[in-house]
Amino acid sequence: GTTIAAPTVPLASLPPHIRRSVLKALYVVALCLWGWLFLAVILPISISVGLIYGFFSLSRVWIFGAPPGRYIDEINLRKSNVGPVQSFLVLNRSAMVLAFVLPLGRAYKIYTDLRSALVQALESAPSLHAQRVEHIQKQFKQWHEEGGTRRIVTARPGWKRVSNKNSTYKKGCFQVHVDK
């Protein structure tokens, strides 16, 4: 027999409002699938590995004694008057990292990758390139009309910076908006 394939429509040919809705729906579906995969498969496996590692570490301590670093940790914990849960987490931090921190870090990386792909798909508009270049050129003409002596910097806000250091070097500079 013959199979009838459903017609496919490239996303780029859809009207912008429909394209945006389709991309958002795909993003939500991908997030749900990755979330389910993470909660149902990755997290249980990593918790099991972390617990097994923790059990073998404790068994090694019971059989062979604690390594010198553990004694130092225990002394410091007694001096700091922390609770039993905090003591457990400090003394068994390797197992906690294997069980929770590494998989949560990977889940966050997947989330940010999906979000970046969505933003790229939604904000990408090759047809607007000439308009955006013209906007930047107008800003440079304005800078030139103002005398052209101030330093030129991007107008990226502080919360989008790579560094968390509070800097004020952009205050006296001509700020060019490149993301509009």
Side-chain angles (χ1 to χ4, degrees), residues 81-93:
N81 296 325
V82 296
V85 173
Q86 289 173 319
S87 295
F88 176 80
L89 291 175
V90 169
L91 294 174
N92 299 294
R93 58 185 166 264

Side-chain angles (χ1 to χ4, degrees), residues 118-131:
L118 176 70
V119 168
Q120 178 68 29
L122 291 177
E123 301 299 326
S124 176
S127 60
L128 297 177
H129 178 73
Q131 180 183 349

Side-chain angles (χ1 to χ4, degrees), residues 27 110-120:
Y27 174 68
I110 291 169
Y111 163 74
T112 56
D113 288 349
L114 285 173
R115 186 182 178 285
S116 294
L118 176 70
V119 168
Q120 178 68 29

